[in-house]
Amino acid sequence: MTIDAILLMAVSMLVLWGGLGAAIVNIVRFKGPEPDASMRDL
Amino acid sequence: MTQVKAPIDRGRFSNKTVFIMAAIGSAVGLGNIWRFPYVAYEGGGGAFILPYLVALLVAGIPLLLLDYAIGHSQRGSAPLSFARLHRRLEFIGWWQVSICVVIALYYAAILAWSTQYIGFSFTQAWGDDPEAFLFGEFLQTEAGVVSLEFVPAVLIPMAIIWLVTIVIMALGVQKGVGATSVIFIPVLLIAFCALVVQALMLPGALDGLQSLFAPNWAALLDPAVWASAFGQIFFSLSVGFGIMITYASYVGRKIDMTGSAFVVGFANSGFELLAGIGVFSALGFLAQASGAAVADVVSAGIGLAFVAFPAIISQAPFGALLGVLFFASLVLAGFTSLVSILEVVISAVRDKLELGRVAASLAVTVPMAIVSILLFSTRSGVVVLDIADYFINRFGILLVALVAMVAVGWGLRRVPWFADHMSRFGSIRLGRWWVVLVTYITPVLIALILVQEAVTAITVPYEGYPAWMLGVFGWGAAGAALIAGVLLAIPKWKQTTPLEAPPHDEEVIR
């Protein structure tokens, strides 16, 4: 593989998988209120 | 907090993890595996990441947030949610439901083919010519005619898939739809990672990756490349046709919806990148093994899955394993998407007729299963499928998404209110940036893509099919969805169904 192809592959991974990681961290660390009770689909 | 008894029990996801998994299960479908790699390759290779990321952030996630906002605030299926926004907009919801009906009918056929190909991976039933096998021995295709002659090799797995689907849909939102995604999505991820690892170890894999990621910066000056990036995001993210409205209506009031949207959006795109790496590694091997250039073996859709991959499986070491992983991934990804598409229809029927879960599931899925099998397990099934898929994606999904955005953003001017609603319990505040994107920028971009697609469809007969077939199964299917939407919006709602959304602080007992 050429250098520019390797670079673009790394950038794509960083942006998309890194973005996913950041989004997960954000939602896990957010201390918003959760529903009082978990109601079932009866 | 006020608590009221809902007129019917609509069902509910037990927590945000189940909701996110279900939304990812809906978004990650066949298009992630067999469409994205080709679109990226054609759209400038490595340089495609730029328009793709812009499309994700400017259109994909903002539109996903709009769907979430409509469903989460109005607490109903697509028709009920739009009816609650304004009675005259109910037809948009039914239009989305009708589109889902069309898609579900042919989606089951592709899952049936994939299921059969899991078995074929062991026997390599396609021999030396996978294309001739697919259209000849397997599908027994008759070009240019409509045949009602059944193909048992398709009919039997289709019947099994519909049977399993009916059971899952009858189990309900949490135990059926939610549990399916919670189980299937991790399995899909593991299976596809194993496939990628195996593909990367094949000789020629790096040549494939070189073809996928070598940047063609000049492509960025081509408007068609930007249009294909936006098109790929729209088609793959399951936005604009009722799924995310329906799913968001099953989520508790205080769930972080904005943070969830970013997880779903990036998970969908992250899986597409993984698919691109796996698919192009395998195509690089095929090119080397057949002494051709990668450009000569690149394909998408049915050609990639059922022609190129069988050729790879025949020649690769441990090819049967590669085949099982690939076709099982298609089945898993496609099945969670099929479930989400059907949920749009079932939810709408439940809300309108106030039916119980099992009754609504059977009323929707049994007739659809019969029509699906009648249409797509025949010798002309693949042609009808190809035409319907092309037209309903463009002149169904894209068009209804545009109409919905214009109606909500320009007609009702509700987007700022949605921003406040979503920001109330969200980790990411939706400010003026989101209002501008959803009200002005995204609709204009979708309109431009639609015009381009319409010009192409009118001037170039799709795949050279006869005009009458394109008229009936293409334009006809897309037009019928719109007409069905208008007609289904005419009957009045039952008096026990409130046409006002529950207040902000109300947790409805389900």
Side-chain angles (χ1 to χ4, degrees), chain A residues 2 8 17 26 33 36 40-41, chain B residues 1 172-173 210 254 270 427:
Chain A
T2 56
L8 264 299
W17 295 347
N26 167 66
D36 300 329
R40 295 282 180 268
D41 177 28
Chain B
M1 183 184 352
V173 174
Q210 169 70 24
K254 297 173 184 174
S427 59

Side-chain angles (χ1 to χ4, degrees), chain A residues 1-2 4-5 8-9 12-13 15-17 19-20 23-24 26-27 30 33-36 38-42, chain B residues 1 9 11 14 16 20 46 53 172-173 206 210 213 215 254 256 260 263 266-267 270 273 277 425-427 510:
Chain A
M1 286 177 75
T2 56
D4 54 356
L8 264 299
M9 183 175 167
S12 302
M13 288 173 168
V15 169
L16 295 180
W17 295 347
L20 174 60
I24 292 171
N26 167 66
I27 204 167
F30 180 63
E34 288 289 319
D36 300 329
S38 166
M39 300 303 179
R40 295 282 180 268
D41 177 28
L42 300 173
Chain B
M1 183 184 352
D9 166 24
S14 59
K16 73 182 170 200
I20 289 172
L53 191 64
V173 174
L206 291 183
Q210 169 70 24
F213 288 106
K254 297 173 184 174
D256 173 9
S260 303
V263 172
F266 275 97
L273 179 63
I277 293 170
F425 297 109
S427 59
R510 303 292 182 203

Side-chain angles (χ1 to χ4, degrees), chain B residues 28-51:
Chain B
V28 173
L30 302 174
N32 296 60
I33 298 172
W34 75 18
R35 191 173 188 276
F36 171 80
Y38 182 79
V39 171
Y41 167 78
E42 286 279 292
F48 186 75
I49 186 67
L50 186 61

Side-chain angles (χ1 to χ4, degrees), chain B residues 164-331:
Chain B
V164 174
T165 307
I166 289 168
V167 171
I168 286 174
M169 300 316 294
L171 281 172
V173 174
Q174 172 65 18
K175 292 177 184 167
V177 177
T180 302
S181 292
V182 167
I183 296 167
F184 279 21
I185 293 302
V187 175
L188 168 65
L189 187 62
I190 292 167
F192 211 86
C193 283
L195 181 147
V196 170
V197 169
Q198 191 182 356
L200 281 172
M201 291 193 293
L202 293 171
L206 291 183
D207 295 337
L209 293 180
Q210 169 70 24
S211 298
L212 177 61
F213 288 106
N216 172 15
W217 299 109
L220 297 184
L221 299 174
D222 182 358
V225 169
W226 287 82
S228 71
F230 279 86
Q232 176 61 26
I233 287 292
F234 285 128
F235 296 141
S236 83
L237 207 47
S238 294
V239 288
F241 61 116
I243 295 173
M244 296 306 178
I245 293 177
T246 307
Y247 276 11
S249 75
Y250 296 144
V251 180
R253 282 293 199 197
K254 297 173 184 174
I255 293 285
D256 173 9
M257 297 298 285
T258 56
S260 303
F262 278 82
V263 172
V264 173
F266 275 97
N268 179 62
S269 294
F271 189 86
E272 291 199 316
L273 179 63
L274 189 67
I277 293 170
V279 166
F280 266 81
S281 299
L283 289 174
F285 163 75
L286 178 63
Q288 191 182 81
S290 52
V294 175
D296 296 330
V297 297
V298 168
S299 56
I302 292 170
L304 172 73
F306 301 105
V307 178
F309 253 86
I312 294 165
I313 292 161
S314 293
Q315 299 179 60
F318 305 106
L321 175 63
L322 192 70
V324 169
L325 291 172
F326 179 76
F327 290 112
S329 295
L330 281 184
V331 172

